[in-house]
Amino acid sequence: MTIPRKASASELRRFLLDRQGLWGAFWPEAQAPARAVDLAMWQIDSIRITGLRNQEIAWAARSASAPSHFYDLLYGQSALVETHYPIFATRRDWLAHMSESLADPATLRSPVTKRLKKVMQEVEDYIRANGPTGPGSFKSRRIVGGFNTIKETTRALEVMFAQRKLVVAGRDKNFQRLFDLTERRLPELTAPPSPRAKDWRKGYEDFLIRSALHVLKLATTEQIAQRTHHHYGPWRPGGGIKRWREHVAHALESGVAIPVQATDLPDQPVYWYLPEDEAGWNASAVSDSPTRLLAPLDHLLYSRPRAKALFNLDYKFEAYTPAHKRRFYFALPVLQGERAVGMVDGKLDGKTWWLRRLELAEDADAEQLGLALRRFAALAGAEQVGVRAKIPQRLKDAVRGKVK
């Protein structure tokens, strides 16, 4: 193995934040599309209690432009494409491989009856004639599915999406998916590479490992293996983590990535990064970064063990945790420079963005937090920030007020 370069935990944090778009100024509008595509996979979630959904918060933490620009990149330009299981906006040039692992397994396993095939053909004919269409455009009988029952046409849409006959082409005002024909929207996916093709398997496995590290930007061997396992699909045959630990170890020994050893962390762990990310080591030691509010499913949190090791950020997404067991509902980590300094939980109610809970380090910059909260509130459509959290008066004075 190549002798690892040496780096402090601070240098590792700056490298990672730079590569993930969280160091320095917000992306200018002209640079945002390319930087967003480089992050490769953006997790999509529909919860909007803060006024912004997960992907919109992740965009706002990085870009100076409005979150609507993210959706133009996704549904207008199709530089990113919405995939399934879980729902990601994935860079388009990865789809030929990733569509294998990002299909809904339950949908693919269910039998397609003769009647359902007939409904699928009717749905296809309707979309071909009318363009992007959602479940609400159809009236049909209800069948077993979802949490109870679903419309038969909705089932048809799900099966056709899993079979790659349809792609998600947009969202309606209620954030319901709109489907279009793959042949019209992403013609390259109508004939993906065949698993029987010569050397396909090795190329596929190499891609999964590289794609995992491309998304993580900086990770230990185990963290790369866990992410590769995720990209392959734990539900698929041969998807066990042991297999991917072996494949990742071999790939790293073969030189796919560059090692760097943390000199001041317990046990001096070795992290890895791709050669094309070398420029991250040029990240300035002095940051002009604004305070950022991170999304619950942000890229920085794709590896929770890494967040704990490098940022002392022990994060748990608690939106689906019973109320009596959680500290927050939709907690947003607060990033100041290279430090995670706290968590905020808020709710948009009418034209007021309410701060409902705040945990903040004693030495955190409260005035900068106030600026970040008011910017967030403005993007969410609020006119002011109010405080319901039980916090000291100095913090209340710093964060509440009219948005600009």
Side-chain angles (χ1 to χ4, degrees):
M1 185 180 78
T2 304
I3 297 175
R5 70 186 296 163
K6 307 294 183 181
S8 66
S10 177
E11 290 172 314
L12 292 172
R13 287 192 290 270
R14 294 198 302 271
F15 173 90
L16 177 59
L17 293 172
D18 177 81
R19 294 295 86 190
Q20 292 202 330
L22 296 169
W23 188 254
F26 293 122
W27 297 336
E29 183 175 329
Q31 296 179 15
R35 296 295 303 271
V37 170
D38 181 66
L39 291 184
M41 297 179 75
W42 296 66
Q43 191 151 354
I44 306 294
D45 191 82
S46 61
I47 296 176
R48 194 170 173 260
I49 190 170
T50 65
L52 296 175
R53 298 179 176 89
N54 179 81
Q55 59 277 11
E56 297 159 4
I57 300 170
W59 179 268
R62 293 165 169 82
S63 177
S65 59
S68 60
H69 289 220
F70 171 78
Y71 290 117
D72 177 65
L73 194 66
L74 176 58
Y75 302 125
Q77 302 176 41
S78 295
L80 299 166
V81 180
E82 188 173 323
T83 54
H84 207 299
Y85 194 64
I87 301 174
F88 280 100
T90 302
R91 55 186 293 168
R92 180 172 179 163
D93 60 341
W94 283 13
L95 262 288
H97 281 313
M98 293 297 284
S99 59
E100 286 292 325
S101 41
L102 293 176
D104 180 3
T107 300
L108 289 172
R109 284 197 299 265
S110 300
V112 178
T113 64
K114 184 179 294 186
R115 177 184 174 87
L116 185 58
K117 285 183 180 179
K118 180 176 182 294
V119 175
M120 288 166 61
Q121 185 61 57
E122 292 170 352
V123 167
E124 179 180 336
D125 293 344
Y126 182 91
I127 294 174
R128 190 177 300 279
N130 297 280
T133 303
S137 298
F138 301 101
K139 293 182 179 180
S140 68
R141 70 173 187 145
R142 300 192 72 83
I143 60 175
V144 175
F147 294 107
N148 188 359
T149 64
I150 59 173
K151 291 191 296 186
E152 195 169 33
T153 47
T154 300
R155 172 70 179 156
L157 288 168
E158 291 176 349
V159 172
M160 295 170 74
F161 179 52
Q163 293 176 344
R164 294 195 295 266
K165 294 179 179 178
L166 299 179
V167 293
V168 179
R171 295 274 184 163
D172 66 16
K173 63 180 181 180
N174 296 316
F175 209 65
Q176 296 297 309
R177 293 175 296 176
L178 300 174
F179 296 92
D180 200 359
L181 301 176
T182 300
E183 64 187 60
R184 185 157 58 195
R185 195 85 176 186
L186 299 172
E188 68 269 27
L189 284 190
T190 58
S194 170
R196 296 185 179 87
K198 183 179 180 181
D199 298 328
W200 182 89
R201 173 59 57 183
K202 184 180 186 305
Y204 178 55
E205 292 173 349
D206 289 348
F207 164 79
L208 290 177
I209 293 169
R210 281 187 59 85
S211 70
L213 188 49
H214 187 108
V215 167
L216 292 172
K217 297 299 185 185
L218 180 76
T220 65
T221 303
E222 176 64 16
Q223 290 159 10
I224 300 168
Q226 291 288 346
R227 186 71 195 185
T228 305
H229 182 223
H230 183 71
H231 283 196
Y232 177 78
W235 55 272
R236 298 176 65 199
I241 184 62
K242 181 179 178 181
R243 169 194 178 188
W244 291 110
R245 287 179 178 136
E246 294 171 354
H247 279 297
V248 167
H250 177 72
L252 295 176
E253 288 172 3
S254 300
V256 71
I258 301 172
V260 53
Q261 187 169 31
T263 58
D264 54 355
L265 289 177
D267 301 324
Q268 297 190 341
V270 173
Y271 288 81
W272 299 84
Y273 65 96
L274 293 173
E276 53 262 40
D277 283 319
E278 185 71 32
W281 298 111
N282 297 328
S284 172
V286 179
S287 174
D288 58 350
S289 293
T291 293
R292 290 173 157 95
L293 304 181
L294 301 183
L297 304 173
D298 192 89
H299 302 74
L300 194 65
L301 301 175
Y302 283 176
S303 171
R304 302 288 169 82
R306 181 186 63 184
K308 175 65 175 175
L310 290 181
F311 296 91
N312 196 29
L313 178 56
D314 192 7
Y315 187 82
K316 181 181 179 182
F317 184 45
E318 298 180 290
Y320 302 106
T321 301
H324 67 282
K325 292 184 178 180
R326 63 183 180 229
R327 290 163 52 216
F328 298 91
Y329 175 74
F330 203 74
L332 310 178
V334 180
L335 188 67
Q336 291 191 336
E338 65 181 70
R339 296 177 58 215
V341 296
M343 303 261 206
V344 303
D345 202 350
K347 179 180 181 180
L348 179 66
D349 188 358
K351 292 297 182 180
T352 301
W353 197 91
W354 291 101
L355 178 64
R356 303 195 300 176
R357 186 176 177 88
L358 173 64
E359 292 183 1
L360 196 66
E362 284 293 328
D363 60 346
D365 190 325
E367 296 297 328
Q368 289 299 312
L369 173 61
L371 291 174
L373 285 173
R374 290 189 289 277
R375 174 180 180 264
F376 186 102
L379 289 171
E383 295 177 355
Q384 63 182 346
V385 173
V387 178
R388 288 175 174 161
K390 295 180 180 179
I391 56 177
Q393 189 62 44
R394 68 175 184 85
L395 292 180
K396 289 183 179 180
D397 292 341
V399 303
R400 65 186 174 189
K402 299 285 186 181
V403 305
K404 294 182 180 180

